[in-house]
Amino acid sequence: DAGVIQSPRHEVTEMGQEVTLRCKPISGHNSLFWYRQTMMRGLELLIYFNNNVPIDDSGMPEDRFSAKMPNASFSTLKIQPSEPRDSAVYFCASSLKGSGQGNYEQYFGPGTRLTVT
Amino acid sequence: SQQGEEDPQALSIQEGENATMNCSYKTSINNLQWYRQNSGRGLVHLILIRSNEREKHSGRLRVTLDTSKKSSSLLITASRAADTASYFCATAPIMSSGSARQLTFGSGTQLTVLP
């Protein structure tokens, strides 16, 4: 298995531009998570999906952030408009769902390093 | 604040020595997991210990869990330079409904193993 695939690996954009991050989870996994990692705030959960349905988006910082999962093998995280403070590494992870979200290990993608100038 | 907090924030040891990292958390949990992150990479799952377990081993890793003290430790024996990474604990807090919430990660311990 190729693992969780994220693209692009690096993104540099100017303030105000739209940014779209992509994720392909591991086949057979039915939970998908988007995280953001910064030195100041550590690893933060932004949103997660079960069976393609968003369950908890309370971690999404603002309305500028949106996430979709149109099918079991693809998800996007969009930032529009982007701001310098959005600069971070964004990780996608997937897992089996089981009886509770924390019951299974999560498999992380390599991340997308976003720089907004 | 973070559910899980690792201690120390940074640890530097010589190759061959043992490394011990600690994690404290605040609420009742379903399980606790440890992850490793190499520089510039994603997190990799190391081990999961359930709330009814006290100790678990995986290769050179030993994890303990003390639910009465709300703490866990990760011991890496006979460390190698390749063990240099950040180590995170992640907890699955139990909600009042009894179900487990998604994982909450601590801020990590940066381990450096010197050759």
Side-chain angles (χ1 to χ4, degrees):
Chain A
D1 198 320
V4 176
I5 299 173
Q6 291 187 248
S7 64
R9 293 295 309 277
H10 301 273
E11 177 80 34
V12 180
T13 190
E14 292 184 348
M15 178 178 173
Q17 297 298 306
E18 177 180 296
V19 175
T20 299
L21 311 181
R22 298 173 177 79
C23 175
K24 176 178 169 54
I26 291 173
S27 177
H29 283 186
N30 45 18
S31 290
L32 183 139
F33 309 82
W34 281 101
Y35 292 90
R36 177 173 68 177
Q37 186 177 39
T38 61
M39 289 293 292
M40 290 295 294
R41 300 175 67 89
L43 193 65
E44 304 172 278
L45 177 65
L46 301 178
I47 185 172
Y48 75 93
F49 297 81
N50 282 349
N51 298 319
N52 313 337
V53 177
I55 301 301
D56 185 353
D57 65 353
S58 59
M60 296 285 262
E62 300 170 33
D63 291 345
R64 298 184 297 106
F65 286 69
S66 63
K68 294 181 180 180
M69 193 166 184
N71 57 63
S73 59
F74 184 65
S75 177
T76 60
L77 177 67
K78 185 175 293 186
I79 308 173
Q80 165 65 19
S82 58
E83 297 183 2
R85 59 192 168 122
D86 301 331
S87 296
V89 181
Y90 290 81
F91 289 103
C92 175
S94 69
S95 78
L96 295 172
K97 176 179 177 293
S99 59
Q101 284 309 308
N103 286 340
Y104 289 90
E105 62 192 81
Q106 295 184 14
Y107 292 79
F108 282 72
T112 295
R113 181 172 296 276
L114 172 65
T115 303
V116 183
T117 61
Chain B
S1 62
Q2 300 280 5
Q3 159 74 336
E5 291 291 343
E6 291 89 345
D7 171 64
Q9 289 189 329
L11 179 62
S12 184
I13 60 174
Q14 294 293 135
E15 203 165 28
E17 294 180 339
N18 295 341
T20 300
M21 288 158 272
N22 303 296
C23 171
S24 60
Y25 56 92
K26 297 183 175 65
T27 64
S28 297
I29 60 172
N30 177 281
N31 66 72
L32 185 145
Q33 302 180 31
W34 286 90
Y35 287 77
R36 183 188 73 227
Q37 183 179 32
N38 291 88
S39 181
R41 309 289 288 273
L43 279 73
V44 175
H45 181 268
L46 295 175
I47 197 165
L48 181 155
I49 186 166
R50 300 193 185 282
S51 59
N52 61 355
E53 297 176 309
R54 292 296 167 259
E55 187 170 315
K56 204 162 183 179
H57 297 254
S58 177
R60 293 183 296 112
L61 306 180
R62 173 178 167 251
V63 169
T64 62
L65 179 64
D66 187 336
T67 53
S68 66
K69 295 182 179 178
K70 292 186 169 57
S71 67
S72 173
S73 67
L74 169 67
L75 168 67
I76 304 174
T77 60
S79 64
R80 305 166 182 168
D83 294 330
T84 295
S86 291
Y87 291 81
F88 295 86
C89 71
T91 53
I94 296 177
M95 299 172 67
S96 56
S97 63
S99 62
R101 289 190 57 191
Q102 63 270 20
L103 293 178
T104 303
F105 287 81
S107 53
T109 292
Q110 172 60 51
L111 172 66
T112 302
V113 181
L114 303 171

